[in-house]
Amino acid sequence: MRKVVYIIFLMSIVLLVAFGTSLETTKKANFILDTKTKFFVAGKEVKIQFTSNLQATVPQLYIVHSYGKTLIQGTNKNGKLTFKLPQIYSNKTGIVSWFLIFNEEIVTQGVFEITPNRNKQTKIENYLGPRSILAGGKQSTMMVAVPTDGLDNPVIENTPVLIKNQFFNNITIDARKTKNFIAWKNIFSDRQIGKILFSTECKNIVTKEIDTEVCPNIASNFSIHFTRNHEFADGNQITTLSTSIIKDQFDNIVSDGTLVTFIIINQKSTILKTFGTTIKGIATGQLLHPDHPDLYTVKGYITGISESNSLFINYKPILSAFNFTFSDQNRTITVGPLKSFMNQLVPDGIKVTVKIIHENKLVATLQEDSSNGITTFHILADFYKAKNYRFEITTLGITQKSQLKYYDLNQ
Amino acid sequence: MTLINNKNITRAVLILSFILINVLLLLGISKVLDFLNSGADRSSMLHLEKETFNTYLPKVVWERSENPGRIMELNTLKKIEKDYLFSWYVKNKSLQENSKSGIADYYTQNTRQNLYNTLKYNIKNEITIESTTLKHNPKLDFYSADGQLVVFTDKNVVEFQKIYQKKKLIAAVQDTATYKVMMLFEDGFWRVRHLQKIEKTIFSSDTTKSNPVFKVKGDKITTNNLNFTIKGINYYPKNSAWDTFGNSFNIDIISKDFDIIKNAKLNTVRIFIQYEDFGKADVKQEKIDKLKKILDLATSKNLFVIVTLFDFYSDYTLENWTLTHRHAEKIVSSFKDHKAILAWDLKNEPNLDFENRDKNNVLNWLEQMITVVKESDPNHLVTIGWSNSTEATHLANKVDFVSYHFYNAIEDLEKETKTFEQITKKPIVIEEFGVPSYKGIWNLNGANEEEQAQYHKKMQELFKKNNFAFMSWTLYDFPHVPDQVAGKWPWQKKRQKRFGFINVNGGKKPSFLYINH
């Protein structure tokens, strides 16, 4: 019996020696966090220390940082575990969660915070927009300043930032405090157009200037007038339509390039259009004189924004009657010479039409342009085979009728 | 004269080999042409593939807020949300693969350096981290007047991660953190400029009132304060086994089957929803409608339903967690007030995936899924259909009642269940049991129909004696069983076809007498 006890005792000694080392790891490991501080400054060394009853094995520290996650291998000096945060993480601010991992288990966990480094030189990013606004005080531009410490971390909340802006003689400096990474200010436009310059300052660091353009507001109503060489409907000269200096309601001249549409309605209610864009507030449009007497009603529009007064332009006829002759056995009609208001020949290219009528039915309409005041029509025997025709000749808004003409050869 | 002329043989061989060479040559040329015709996918040129849809779908709930800047446009908010989620997606992906791919699209120039540094460090130390976020609760803090800058606080982001070093799992960690985020609109992308983890915020707990029909009191399931013992059956329509909601869905057939079940004085039916069939993360309304029809039918027949989710799903990777969450959320929240549902069974026999899909992965997925389902539907019970009582101890404290499947010898039923009753204080449901009436070349030891009846008779006696909750497998013999269920070989399939109480011709087998006690 005693032998058995001895053997068992000896066996257990042997077993203890054999598995002694592994027993250390299987006994309940405990870890106590030694690092009491919860705050570290960015850019400085961050060390987390634990006291443990483990003498040799080193657990791993898993960290979740704003910009990444990683495992840190620590050191174990007689039960003092030390984990040093890699610099890439200790440079960046924010809460860091850590999990001490031992044998695939999270044995303890916690958080610490890395705060911005006040000693590193501040940098400021400015975001300004919209970069162009309308005059008049209803629109605003927003200056957003994002100050960071030298390690590109947003500065702590409530850091004062000076937002400065200048418009003509008016210089404003406004102190704002950062919240949600940013300090910001809205600046409303004035009645005047011009540039608002901005800059910001934080912890004695200043930025370059940036600007927002204050553009003229939308145009108010305007007036139009016209100029022309003469008042005759010669189909050749040009009437120039132009606007008054178009301004917004605050007396700023509208931006160059504002499109003005001139809508022209003639006596037959046909709508004609011409366009002009403003330069220094004035837009001009051009209009060819009609080739017949007419009355034009003109109105200018800036689409959807403003309009002008109505303007009436009267075009007088350049002649009251014209001559035409038949020759070549009535096969040729010569119209003209057409003479203008001071008895000069009309400009080339005046349209002349001839309606050929047989027994009160329109057979054909011929059209030619004048040259040197003369227009010639040929009534070809192959086409016009009836015994007689009547003709109506129209040019420059005047129509004259011929007598009935007989064509002997066609009998 | 010899019948076989040597010359003719040579000729034949020559001609045949000529034809063969030609065929091979043509094949080769066509392969080469085929290869040359394949190239970059045109759709990839315009970044069109970058849809969060079916890529990354954590739950995002924007908190209402008045921001001091410009009024937020709804479509901009959607775009910000999409790009912000992508910033997480590419970050997760890069930590997993230690590659920079995609980061430049969603982080500004200064910011992306921080991520590159992390990658460099992790590559050096051979660390890879699989991670996913499960929930985001952003609140808009600021939106600039020009619509180019936005600051928001993403409160209590739930992150789940698995850390590997040298390809060995170190640990799985769940963390909740709040992030303050500043994003800039650059080149058509909202990009992260500043990201800072800040103090967690304490949420006022959800005040949604639950109004459950079934409750768990101790080890009993109760309804209207009365104990409710499940006497049920697993159900597929005879001709659409494992495809209840497919093209042959016919509510009249199901209605007749429910009548059979009701007349047998059973009170519960277990049905199955296949993950892919229901459209994965983008659940098809048509399927929801079909499910509603079945549930409404159950209500009218006074039957209760255990709906088993995620049938035929076996991925579990972190990358697809959010997709499965949206799948479950959509289905479960659609029926949170439906009176016919007794419980959601999250997954049928998930322990069968332990070996191939990593046990921890499966368990973590299930645990998260319990939370998702409970949050979307506080009114119904939740269970998991383990394939045996040993595995059923997993997550037993998280589910409302424990379900396991019993296919062992009859004698073990009481012992197993009673042992298990010692371990858990939750109600226990024997969610599947049965025996096929197939004795044939593939199963010489199998039971015939009479023996099957005897089996059910004995089982029912035990259920009655012990007041066990049971659900038998299954109402019908199936003329067709898909390969995914048991395997493609006849000795696997044949058995699976004959578990029913009613044969393929619609005749009641002897076992039908013992469908209930």
Side-chain angles (χ1 to χ4, degrees):
Chain A
M1 184 62 209
R2 198 163 253 205
K3 230 178 190 174
V4 175
V5 173
Y6 276 131
I7 288 170
I8 290 173
F9 181 72
L10 273 173
M11 286 277 278
S12 47
I13 294 272
V14 170
L15 280 172
L16 255 178
V17 171
F19 296 104
T21 42
S22 68
L23 272 179
E24 193 214 44
T25 52
T26 49
K27 83 183 167 195
K28 187 100 177 87
N30 68 33
F31 302 92
I32 298 153
L33 178 67
D34 288 340
T35 313
K36 291 286 174 256
T37 174
K38 289 249 179 225
F39 297 95
F40 299 91
V41 174
K44 301 263 172 68
E45 191 178 67
V46 177
K47 269 185 185 168
I48 305 288
Q49 288 184 313
F50 300 88
T51 307
S52 161
N53 56 353
L54 298 180
Q55 294 303 311
T57 30
V58 189
Q60 284 170 303
L61 193 73
Y62 175 63
I63 58 156
V64 183
H65 183 279
S66 308
Y67 287 112
K69 305 162 181 193
T70 198
L71 268 181
I72 303 174
Q73 199 66 50
T75 55
N76 188 346
K77 259 188 196 163
N78 304 325
K80 264 254 178 287
L81 304 174
T82 308
F83 296 92
K84 185 172 168 269
L85 202 64
Q87 204 181 356
I88 52 168
Y89 294 109
S90 55
N91 274 350
K92 302 300 293 179
T93 54
I95 299 266
V96 181
S97 320
W98 56 261
F99 303 83
L100 192 66
I101 295 166
F102 182 59
N103 283 345
E104 288 195 26
E105 293 289 321
I106 299 164
V107 284
T108 174
Q109 68 184 76
V111 292
F112 59 84
E113 186 173 356
I114 300 174
T115 55
N117 193 327
R118 287 158 199 262
N119 298 328
K120 297 267 180 180
Q121 201 176 33
T122 309
K123 285 180 181 166
I124 308 174
E125 276 172 21
N126 283 337
Y127 297 96
L128 178 65
R131 294 299 281 272
S132 72
I133 54 174
L134 297 185
K138 276 190 180 161
Q139 294 200 349
S140 66
T141 183
M142 184 185 265
M143 179 75 203
V144 183
V146 191
T148 56
D149 70 6
L151 299 163
D152 199 35
N153 297 307
V155 295
I156 52 169
E157 203 118 294
N158 290 324
T159 303
V161 176
L162 299 181
I163 298 178
K164 309 172 199 178
N165 60 290
Q166 170 266 334
F167 190 62
F168 294 107
N169 292 328
N170 200 347
I171 294 177
T172 317
I173 299 175
D174 208 345
R176 297 284 163 117
K177 284 182 174 169
T178 58
K179 196 185 169 205
N180 300 320
F181 304 153
I182 57 169
W184 61 277
K185 188 188 174 187
N186 269 338
I187 289 99
F188 283 83
S189 63
D190 217 327
R191 298 166 76 93
Q192 258 177 304
I193 59 168
K195 270 188 171 132
I196 311 178
L197 293 187
F198 288 91
S199 80
T200 58
E201 182 178 339
C202 180
K203 293 184 180 173
N204 298 325
I205 299 297
V206 290
T207 66
K208 288 194 289 191
E209 65 182 28
I210 40 176
D211 58 70
T212 285
E213 190 82 37
V214 181
C215 299
N217 212 311
I218 58 170
S220 44
N221 287 349
F222 54 95
S223 64
I224 53 172
H225 53 92
F226 70 95
T227 51
R228 55 182 176 180
N229 253 342
H230 57 65
E231 55 184 5
F232 296 102
D234 68 347
N236 191 41
Q237 293 302 312
I238 283 170
T239 302
T240 306
L241 302 166
S242 50
T243 66
S244 60
I245 295 177
I246 304 176
K247 291 180 173 174
D248 68 5
Q249 54 172 320
F250 310 105
D251 235 19
N252 300 307
I253 298 173
V254 296
S255 308
D256 281 356
T258 302
L259 183 73
V260 179
T261 309
F262 299 95
I263 305 276
I264 301 120
I265 302 172
N266 68 10
Q267 273 176 318
K268 287 179 183 163
S269 292
T270 309
I271 293 176
L272 314 171
K273 273 185 185 180
T274 181
F275 303 90
T277 52
T278 63
I279 294 170
K280 296 194 170 152
I282 298 171
T284 52
Q286 293 184 321
L287 189 61
L288 190 67
H289 283 212
D291 61 2
H292 56 274
D294 208 338
L295 177 68
Y296 282 180
T297 309
V298 186
K299 197 164 183 178
Y301 294 92
I302 298 174
T303 311
I305 293 174
S306 62
E307 60 184 43
S308 73
N309 57 325
S310 285
L311 193 66
F312 301 98
I313 310 176
N314 194 15
Y315 292 96
K316 289 184 175 166
I318 51 172
L319 40 70
S320 52
F322 56 85
N323 293 329
F324 58 92
T325 54
F326 286 84
S327 57
D328 193 14
Q329 291 165 331
N330 292 341
R331 289 282 170 198
T332 302
I333 309 171
T334 308
V335 181
L338 300 172
K339 287 186 178 161
S340 192
F341 52 91
M342 54 182 192
N343 228 11
Q344 81 275 37
L345 292 176
V346 294
D348 284 356
I350 294 292
K351 196 170 74 181
V352 181
T353 56
V354 173
K355 282 183 180 163
I356 304 171
I357 296 159
H358 176 61
E359 289 176 349
N360 284 335
K361 270 190 189 156
L362 183 64
V363 176
T365 306
L366 307 178
Q367 182 183 317
E368 294 285 345
D369 288 348
S370 72
S371 173
N372 292 325
I374 306 280
T375 317
T376 315
F377 294 90
H378 298 286
I379 314 298
L380 296 176
D382 293 340
F383 285 94
Y384 305 100
K385 294 177 177 171
K387 275 186 246 172
N388 57 57
Y389 290 103
R390 199 159 59 72
F391 300 94
E392 282 181 23
I393 303 159
T394 306
T395 188
L396 294 160
I398 294 164
T399 303
Q400 289 182 232
K401 292 179 183 173
S402 75
Q403 288 171 324
L404 199 60
K405 297 284 172 186
Y406 293 94
Y407 294 87
D408 298 340
L409 273 177
N410 289 349
Q411 283 174 359
Chain B
M1 192 189 97
T2 46
L3 270 174
I4 303 160
N5 187 331
N6 267 338
K7 233 179 198 171
N8 277 345
I9 289 176
T10 325
R11 263 184 210 157
V13 167
L14 269 174
I15 290 168
L16 278 175
S17 55
F18 174 75
I19 292 170
L20 195 75
I21 286 169
N22 273 306
V23 166
L24 287 175
L25 201 71
L26 280 174
L27 250 162
I29 291 171
S30 70
K31 282 272 174 205
V32 169
L33 284 178
D34 204 32
F35 172 75
L36 292 176
N37 275 332
S38 66
D41 184 8
R42 250 174 254 171
S43 66
S44 66
M45 285 193 295
L46 294 169
H47 291 284
L48 292 178
E49 82 283 16
K50 284 186 176 158
E51 282 294 325
T52 29
F53 209 64
N54 294 349
T55 315
Y56 194 59
L57 299 170
K59 192 177 175 72
V60 182
V61 184
W62 284 89
E63 195 181 313
R64 283 183 167 279
S65 67
E66 296 276 320
N67 88 82
R70 169 183 175 135
I71 293 166
M72 177 55 82
E73 308 89 2
L74 200 63
N75 56 338
T76 311
L77 194 69
K78 282 269 164 247
K79 169 83 174 133
I80 290 170
E81 178 184 315
K82 191 177 131 193
D83 286 2
Y84 176 61
L85 288 186
F86 260 121
S87 80
W88 276 99
Y89 180 70
V90 296
K91 185 170 141 187
N92 293 342
K93 200 96 180 137
S94 67
L95 284 169
Q96 188 182 343
E97 291 164 2
N98 280 333
S99 88
K100 291 180 180 178
S101 147
I103 288 192
D105 281 342
Y106 296 101
Y107 293 86
T108 60
Q109 206 162 7
N110 283 338
T111 314
R112 63 183 82 132
Q113 286 312 323
N114 301 319
L115 291 170
Y116 293 162
N117 286 337
T118 298
L119 293 183
K120 224 187 282 171
Y121 183 89
N122 285 359
I123 291 169
K124 201 176 121 204
N125 294 292
E126 292 180 70
I127 299 163
T128 50
I129 295 157
E130 265 181 60
S131 50
T132 186
T133 57
L134 305 178
K135 252 198 233 174
H136 294 269
N137 303 291
K139 175 178 175 273
L140 189 68
D141 294 320
F142 182 80
Y143 181 40
S144 73
D146 56 356
Q148 307 281 306
L149 183 151
V150 70
V151 182
F152 56 90
T153 311
D154 192 1
K155 291 178 182 175
N156 296 6
V157 182
V158 181
E159 289 177 72
F160 194 89
Q161 48 233 313
K162 294 170 79 178
I163 310 121
Y164 297 87
Q165 191 163 30
K166 298 189 171 122
K167 297 202 170 121
K168 187 179 156 286
L169 181 72
I170 302 293
V173 175
Q174 182 171 329
D175 187 27
T176 307
T178 298
Y179 288 89
K180 188 150 280 216
V181 191
M182 175 173 148
M183 295 182 93
L184 300 176
F185 193 57
E186 295 180 343
D187 309 339
F189 289 93
W190 282 96
R191 290 189 176 139
V192 176
R193 171 65 187 93
H194 284 302
L195 181 68
Q196 201 172 62
K197 228 173 131 169
I198 59 171
E199 288 279 358
K200 255 186 276 189
T201 25
I202 291 146
F203 268 163
S204 54
S205 56
D206 261 348
T207 46
T208 45
K209 266 195 182 162
S210 67
N211 182 22
V213 177
F214 288 93
K215 290 177 190 164
V216 166
K217 278 191 185 146
D219 62 352
K220 294 279 185 293
I221 297 172
T222 65
T223 177
N224 298 326
N225 285 325
L226 293 172
N227 285 350
F228 180 84
T229 307
I230 295 175
K231 294 176 179 177
I233 193 158
N234 287 274
Y235 173 71
Y236 279 115
K238 188 180 72 185
N239 292 316
S240 48
W242 287 272
D243 190 24
T244 311
F245 303 93
N247 289 332
S248 42
F249 179 88
N250 184 333
I251 197 72
D252 297 331
I253 291 175
I254 297 170
S255 175
K256 277 178 195 143
D257 292 344
F258 276 17
D259 281 335
I260 297 172
I261 294 168
K262 188 66 204 170
N263 291 336
K265 300 220 161 42
L266 294 170
N267 55 24
T268 310
V269 182
R270 180 170 177 242
I271 58 171
F272 298 81
I273 287 176
Q274 280 76 36
Y275 179 60
E276 249 174 78
D277 178 50
F278 261 61
K280 298 185 184 176
D282 182 21
V283 176
K284 296 172 190 159
Q285 188 57 41
E286 163 218 357
K287 301 284 177 181
I288 294 274
D289 293 343
K290 284 180 179 172
L291 179 57
K292 182 166 189 303
K293 275 184 192 162
I294 293 188
L295 293 174
D296 290 347
L297 183 71
T299 313
S300 72
K301 309 273 181 201
N302 204 16
L303 285 169
F304 297 103
V305 184
I306 292 179
V307 186
T308 306
L309 303 167
F310 293 104
D311 212 22
F312 292 171
Y313 170 80
S314 56
D315 185 4
Y316 307 105
T317 51
L318 277 190
E319 205 181 327
N320 292 327
W321 275 24
T322 58
L323 306 188
T324 58
H325 289 179
R326 297 294 79 75
H327 173 83
E329 185 184 70
K330 170 77 183 159
I331 296 172
V332 164
S333 60
S334 303
F335 297 105
K336 65 174 186 233
D337 296 318
H338 206 289
K339 301 289 181 216
I341 296 173
L342 195 162
W344 299 105
D345 180 350
L346 299 189
K347 173 91 182 112
N348 185 49
E349 308 191 346
N351 53 306
L352 300 186
D353 292 322
F354 279 179
E355 200 178 330
N356 294 326
R357 304 288 173 169
D358 182 56
K359 184 172 171 181
N360 280 325
N361 225 351
V362 178
L363 290 175
N364 289 330
W365 180 85
L366 284 167
E367 196 177 341
Q368 291 296 340
M369 194 51 77
I370 295 172
T371 321
V372 171
V373 170
K374 281 273 168 203
E375 277 178 358
S376 315
D377 175 5
N379 296 332
H380 295 119
L381 305 178
V382 167
T383 189
I384 300 168
W386 301 100
S387 81
N388 60 55
S389 64
T390 335
E391 302 289 4
T393 49
H394 293 299
L395 301 171
N397 55 343
K398 303 262 176 176
V399 292
D400 292 311
F401 64 87
V402 184
S403 304
Y404 77 87
H405 302 167
F406 183 83
Y407 288 103
N408 293 342
I410 301 174
E411 302 81 60
D412 294 336
L413 177 72
E414 279 185 307
K415 199 179 77 191
E416 245 184 60
T417 312
K418 295 237 157 115
T419 320
F420 196 39
E421 275 174 353
Q422 304 296 315
I423 301 170
T424 177
K425 296 203 167 53
K426 299 269 170 88
I428 297 172
V429 176
I430 296 147
E431 205 188 27
E432 280 183 22
F433 72 96
V435 72
S437 63
Y438 176 69
K439 198 171 205 160
I441 188 149
W442 301 117
N443 192 15
L444 293 170
N445 299 329
N448 58 28
E449 293 197 354
E450 202 46 56
E451 283 161 337
Q452 185 197 28
Q454 284 308 310
Y455 167 86
H456 280 288
K457 185 179 175 211
K458 282 183 198 158
M459 288 294 277
Q460 288 298 342
E461 280 165 5
L462 290 174
F463 293 147
K464 192 174 181 182
K465 180 180 151 207
N466 295 296
N467 197 25
F468 286 160
F470 70 88
M471 305 192 85
S472 46
W473 185 273
T474 166
L475 186 62
Y476 279 109
D477 281 355
F478 301 123
H480 173 76
V481 169
D483 292 344
Q484 288 132 294
V485 179
K488 60 181 176 180
W489 303 107
W491 54 88
Q492 296 166 324
K493 269 193 177 180
K494 283 274 186 193
R495 269 170 53 82
Q496 199 54 251
K497 289 181 180 176
R498 299 288 185 82
F499 271 94
F501 292 96
I502 300 173
N503 64 28
V504 283
N505 302 320
K508 288 174 182 170
K509 289 156 75 174
S511 56
F512 193 85
L513 277 176
Y514 307 107
I515 199 167
N516 196 354
H517 57 255

